[in-house]
Amino acid sequence: MRILIVSASAGAGHTRAGQALEEAARIRCPEAEVRHVDVLDFTGKSYKRAYVGSFIEMVNRAPALWGYLYSTSDRVKETGTRRKLVQFFDRLEFLTFRKFLNETAPDVLLCTHFLPAQVVVRARQHGKLTTPLGLVVTDFDVHAFWVQPTADRFFVASEELKAILASRGIDEERISVTGIPISPVFGEPHDVPRIRAELGLDPAIQTVLVMSGGQGVGTMKEAVAAVLECAPVQVIAVAGKNAVLEAELKELPVPAGCRLIVCGFVTNIQELMSVSNLAVTKSGGLTTSECLAMGLPMLVREPIPGQEERNCDFLLEAGAGLKAQGLASLRWKLRDLLSRPERLLVMSAAARSVGRPDAAIAIVDQMVAHAADRGGDLEPAPPKKRVVRRR
């Protein structure tokens, strides 16, 4: 059996979701040939740079504009001429990707971004690509771009999203409420006393985990400084891959009664979450899902208009988080929460009640079962020549 997982590096969440599905597929289907690729690796360097770079630049420099484009594109249908132009361009730019699919001939195809499903529409309409295709929505929102009628299965985070997809013409029987796929490690037990001891944390003082994105973007330095003003508190600050930010965080003054632990890019974020009482972070779909699975309440700082705002709305409605607009709001709400540990416990229970640590396993199981129902050949297949290096 060949299982192909396709993500797009337009935001770290899509890639992390793909990695989670890859991990789950290796657990559930140890006999299978499992591959995870980035669809943008099959395009020209300039296209990939523009596709990824424009998103990051807009989110960081003009979040209001991003929010406007996100909202308007979610409700305005493309004209026939524009749609045909986009499809024509995609056929040219993603020719290598479509050839790769034909040569690989996967038994199961899972996409954590709408782009791969979008570029194979014509192939599926004309019966040239019949592989069972699952589309995995990676936010607590479902934008119109995710409405790809040629997909066989859709996997969403909530019953509300299922209803929204159904209202847009997708048969309810094709939609599964599984949650957003995260690594299975977020559902495993953790040795909290050992991790606290290794980090030198005092169990009598509350610990706040401050996170940025994988690239370490946003007002991270100011947020950490604001948290340190709420003594007594222990702060774990994760700067991601931003070495400059990591160095700046290490230079921050630490008031009496506080402790600051600064990390760069980490691979054990689940352990850091397990010893924290609260996360101060952005509300990306994957980060939110990981915190919920760990029962970690969130204080979301200035969510970006668009999917981050809608992810934050889900948290607020579930009672698992609060929103802070600006540093003054962040300081006030943090002090209030730290002074009421019983409220943090209630929020933690609310987070666990909606967390879905087994989402990746559920998605893989359902897609493999769907492929079997379709009568596909699910016996282990001989490996084919690799076209690109697996991520």
Side-chain angles (χ1 to χ4, degrees), residues 87-274:
Q87 291 176 347
F88 176 72
F89 182 76
D90 284 347
R91 287 201 298 274
L92 294 178
E93 191 62 48
F94 291 91
L95 178 62
T96 301
F97 174 66
R98 291 196 300 276
K99 287 182 177 178
F100 165 75
L101 287 179
N102 290 333
E103 294 171 1
T104 305
D107 300 294
V108 174
L109 177 59
L110 276 168
C111 302
T112 63
H113 193 281
F114 54 81
L115 182 58
Q118 186 173 291
V119 301
V120 298
V121 166
R122 283 178 60 86
R124 291 183 67 78
Q125 288 174 336
H126 291 84
K128 296 180 180 179
L129 179 65
T130 59
T131 300
L133 168 61
L135 201 52
V136 183
V137 181
T138 55
D139 284 297
F140 293 87
D141 181 41
V142 56
H143 191 279
F145 288 163
W146 289 96
V147 183
Q148 300 292 332
T150 64
D152 296 288
R153 303 288 304 170
F154 294 81
F155 301 95
V156 297
S158 70
E159 293 288 346
E160 180 182 5
L161 299 193
K162 180 176 180 178
I164 292 172
L165 263 181
S167 73
R168 291 179 168 180
I170 303 300
D171 190 337
E172 284 194 15
E173 293 183 357
R174 296 159 59 194
I175 310 169
S176 294
V177 181
T178 56
I180 296 169
I182 57 177
S183 171
V185 300
F186 290 95
E188 297 174 357
H190 296 89
D191 188 347
V192 172
R194 174 190 62 80
I195 299 168
R196 278 191 182 134
E198 290 178 353
L199 293 172
L201 295 172
D202 184 346
I205 301 176
Q206 296 188 85
T207 300
V208 176
L209 176 63
V210 186
M211 294 182 289
S212 184
Q215 300 297 324
V217 297
T219 57
M220 176 78 169
K221 181 180 177 181
E222 292 80 1
V224 173
V227 175
L228 285 171
E229 292 181 31
C230 302
V233 66
Q234 300 173 124
V235 181
I236 304 174
V238 181
K241 297 179 180 179
N242 191 329
V244 174
L245 174 61
E246 182 181 356
E248 291 176 346
L249 291 176
K250 289 180 178 178
E251 295 299 318
L252 285 174
V254 181
C258 295
R259 176 136 190 262
L260 175 61
I261 300 172
V262 177
C263 308
F265 181 77
V266 299
T267 57
N268 66 331
I269 192 66
Q270 73 280 0
E271 293 189 341
L272 302 183
M273 288 182 176
S274 73

